[in-house]
Amino acid sequence: MKLKKIILKLCIILPLLVICYSFYKSENKTNSKTNSKTNIEFRGMNLVAPISELKNETFEALKQNNVNYISLIPYAFVNLSQATVSYNHSKQWWGETSEGIAETIKKSHQYQIQVMLKPHLWIKNGLYTGNLDFATEKEWEKWEENYEKYIIEFAELAQKENVVLFCFGTELGNPIAKRPKFWFDLISKIRKVYKGKITYAANWDDFEKIPFWKELDYIGIDAYFPLSDAITPTVSDLNSAWQKHLLKIILLQQKINKKVVFTEFGYRNSDYAAKEPWLENQSKINNIGQANAYESLFESLIRKEWYAGGFAWKWYADDYYKKSNPIDYTPQEKPALQIIKKWYKER
C-alpha cells in the first residue's frame, strides 16, 4: 500500500517538475540576453479602418510612436440562418473593403510600415465567433465554401500588395474543433496563392487546442488573459499574474518550435482593466489601470526570445473616437500611449 502511495505521488509531482524545469530553462535562456534588448519584429497596432478617407496624419502619428506594423481588418458578416459569409458591402466603411484595404497597404508601405492582413468575422446576432455552429453537414459545407472564398480572395490581395503576414482566422474555436480537416486544407490552399508568412489568431483560452500550429509560421494569440481583480492593479502584481500564462505559452512554444505573436492585446482605460480585458462592462475612467496593464505586458513579454511582438488593440484612423465613449481600448491621447512608445523604440 505504501509503495502505491509513493508511486501515485510521483505521478503527480514528476510532471510538475518537468513543467517547472521547462519554464526555468526558458527564463534562464531569456535572462542570458541583454536586458535592454527590445528589438522585436512586430511593434504593431490593429488599425480601425477609415470610414471614407485615408489621411497622412494617421501614419505620421503611428510612426511618431514607433509603430512598424499595422493590422488591417476586412470584416465579413455571417448570416447563421443562411450559413453565408458576405463582405465588400456598399454600407461598410471604405477601409474595410478590398479597395480600401489595398489603398491602405500602399499608403502604409510609403511610410515604411508593414502590414498584417487579418480578416475578421462578425456574426449578425452578436454570437461570439468561437461558438459558431451549425446543425447539419449541408450548412457547414455551405459556410466553409463561403469562408474559403473570403479568405482566398484576401490572401491573393495580400500576395499582390506584398503583405508580410496573413492571419486567416480569428477566434474560431468551435469550427476548428469540429471541422479540423477544413482548416488543414484551407492552409494548403492559402500557401498556393500567398508566399508570405501565415498565422492564426487563437483566443487566449483555447490557443493550446489548435491542431495546425506546426503548419504555420507563428503561433498567434489574442492575448486578453485575465490578470487581476484589482480596481487599479499594480505593475508588480500584474507581472506575477502573468507567470502562469507564460508557463502555458512556453510549453506550447517549445513543443511547436515557432515564435509567438500576440495578434491582439489591449486594455480599456477603466477600472478593473486587467480583470477580464475582453469585456466592456466598466464605466469609470481609469487611465492608470490601462497604463499599468500595458507596462506589465511589455515587462513580462518583450525580452522573451520566443516572443515576436504583437498588435495593440486598437488605433483609430479617424478622429471620431474623440467624440464617442471616453472609455475605450485605444491608447490614443492617454498615458498608455507613452508606455507603448517607450517599449516600441528600437534599442
Side-chain angles (χ1 to χ4, degrees), residues 166-323:
F166 184 69
C167 180
F168 63 85
T170 300
E171 299 176 12
L172 292 167
N174 187 63
I176 290 170
K178 282 195 168 183
R179 312 281 292 187
K181 184 179 183 301
F182 167 76
W183 299 95
F184 279 93
D185 290 344
L186 180 61
I187 293 166
S188 178
K189 291 174 182 177
I190 293 169
R191 294 284 191 195
K192 291 178 181 178
V193 300
Y194 173 70
K195 305 307 177 185
K197 304 293 186 180
I198 298 176
T199 191
Y200 163 77
N203 200 36
W204 67 271
D205 62 353
D206 69 3
F207 69 91
E208 299 164 288
K209 303 174 184 177
I210 304 303
F212 48 68
W213 285 132
K214 289 186 177 180
E215 307 301 314
L216 309 183
D217 298 292
Y218 297 94
I219 297 168
I221 303 174
D222 283 358
Y224 300 107
F225 293 97
L227 297 170
S228 173
D229 292 340
I231 295 175
T232 307
T234 67
V235 174
S236 177
D237 287 343
L238 290 169
N239 287 352
S240 296
W242 264 109
Q243 299 312 304
K244 64 180 179 181
H245 301 301
L246 292 179
L247 179 56
K248 292 180 180 180
I249 296 171
I250 288 168
L251 289 176
L252 176 66
Q253 190 276 326
Q254 290 180 344
K255 177 182 177 182
I256 304 300
N257 195 28
K258 309 277 186 179
K259 284 194 171 186
V260 175
V261 57
F262 281 180
T263 39
E264 292 178 25
F265 64 88
Y267 307 91
R268 298 172 79 234
N269 60 322
S270 69
D271 285 350
Y272 305 100
K275 182 179 181 180
E276 295 172 317
W278 62 92
L279 294 181
E280 301 182 26
N281 59 352
Q282 298 298 326
S283 58
K284 187 174 180 181
I285 293 176
N286 189 331
N287 288 330
I288 301 303
Q290 181 190 41
N292 286 353
Y294 269 107
E295 179 71 27
S296 174
L297 183 144
F298 290 126
E299 285 189 10
S300 300
L301 271 297
I302 208 164
R303 296 188 182 102
K304 308 298 189 215
E305 67 171 17
W306 47 263
Y307 179 65
F311 296 80
W313 187 270
K314 54 191 174 177
W315 187 279
Y316 288 93
D318 299 314
D319 62 4
Y320 74 88
Y321 72 92
K322 297 177 183 179
K323 302 174 183 178

